[in-house]
Amino acid sequence: MFGGEVWGGIFCLSVFGSLLAGASFSLFFSHWFQAKVHYLVTLCAAILLTVMLVDIVPHSLSTYNSLSVIGGMLVGLPIIASLDHFSHKRIRGD
């Protein structure tokens, strides 16, 4: 009866906890080690890219049609790039 709601709540709490832990780690890393957060962002991007290339993309290719996966990437990447461009443009005030 409450299975989906409970798992949804657990998922939301785990995402929130992960974001909180990442922000705390970033503050700790930048304050105590006097390092730039850019290094931490580079490390996280490398981990995410590795997970995508090693786990998510091969699983998607084995589950779905390869043309659909490639089409999704070709549509999704320009959308994400344009959102990133417009959001940073708006923040900088250009």
Side-chain angles (χ1 to χ4, degrees):
M1 182 172 154
F2 296 108
E5 294 172 2
V6 170
W7 287 113
I10 291 172
F11 176 74
C12 288
L13 285 175
S14 67
V15 168
F16 178 72
S18 298
L19 288 172
L20 190 62
S24 301
F25 183 69
S26 174
L27 287 173
F28 172 78
F29 190 80
S30 66
H31 181 69
W32 275 284
F33 293 118
Q34 301 299 323
K36 296 190 183 269
V37 179
H38 300 291
Y39 298 128
L40 184 62
V41 171
T42 304
L43 175 68
C44 293
I47 291 170
L48 285 173
L49 186 63
T50 304
V51 167
M52 268 185 51
L53 293 176
V54 172
D55 186 40
I56 296 174
V57 172
H59 176 71
S60 298
L61 288 173
S62 67
T63 304
Y64 304 108
N65 185 5
S66 60
L67 185 61
S68 300
V69 174
I70 293 170
M73 287 181 194
L74 290 175
V75 169
L77 287 175
I79 290 172
I80 295 299
S82 63
L83 288 173
D84 181 55
H85 173 73
F86 289 125
S87 65
H88 285 116
K89 186 176 179 181
R90 186 174 187 137
I91 290 170
R92 285 192 314 255
D94 293 340

